[in-house]
Amino acid sequence: MVYDFGGINLRCGNNRWGYRHIKNGGNGEDGHYDDFQNLARPAGLNWSDLVHWAIYYNTKDPDHVVVDQNTGCRDRLLYAQDGNGRQVWQKRFMMIYNATDGRVITVYPTSGTC
């Protein structure tokens, strides 16, 4: 268990789901590390901090939720500010999870919605 978000859980996983998938990818896919790092840096965050907040807000206050059988999708628009309080970006983050057991499959920045 990496973190329990209250019904949604980020677990270590493997190259197909969870923390390891988000960081490293698998099955010929890149992980989302670079995407998160490139967004986190201007806001003075660590890439894993941004992963945490993306999952947290998708769990607690999503903009959209779609569940199809055992696969869930949530998305949420987030904003980041620099150290001077200026907005540096707004970006939507999508989280795919197992709706049966609550484990996070992946989360990533996107321009789409569920």
Side-chain angles (χ1 to χ4, degrees):
M1 176 75 71
V2 175
Y3 198 88
D4 180 352
F5 292 90
I8 301 287
N9 302 301
L10 180 60
R11 298 181 181 275
C12 293
N14 56 36
N15 66 346
R16 298 183 64 201
W17 64 273
Y19 178 86
R20 289 186 179 114
H21 167 77
I22 295 165
K23 183 176 180 188
N24 303 319
N27 296 334
E29 299 177 16
D30 290 334
H32 303 293
Y33 172 86
D34 289 340
D35 297 330
F36 279 101
Q37 183 64 19
N38 291 336
L39 288 167
R41 192 174 291 126
L45 298 171
N46 178 292
W47 79 275
S48 61
D49 294 334
L50 186 52
V51 168
H52 176 91
W53 290 114
I55 295 171
Y56 175 84
Y57 282 107
N58 268 299
T59 300
K60 302 298 183 192
D61 189 25
D63 291 334
H64 304 100
V65 177
V66 175
V67 176
D68 183 13
Q69 296 181 20
N70 70 337
T71 302
C73 177
R74 295 171 178 241
D75 66 77
R76 170 66 193 252
L77 186 63
L78 297 178
Y79 303 86
Q81 296 177 338
D82 64 15
N84 296 316
R86 293 183 299 246
Q87 183 177 314
V88 292
W89 54 257
Q90 67 177 24
K91 191 70 180 168
R92 185 163 301 280
F93 292 85
M94 187 176 297
M95 178 178 73
I96 307 299
Y97 63 101
N98 183 305
T100 303
D101 65 15
R103 69 187 156 99
V104 174
I105 306 301
T106 192
V107 63
Y108 53 91
T110 184
S111 58
T113 61
C114 291

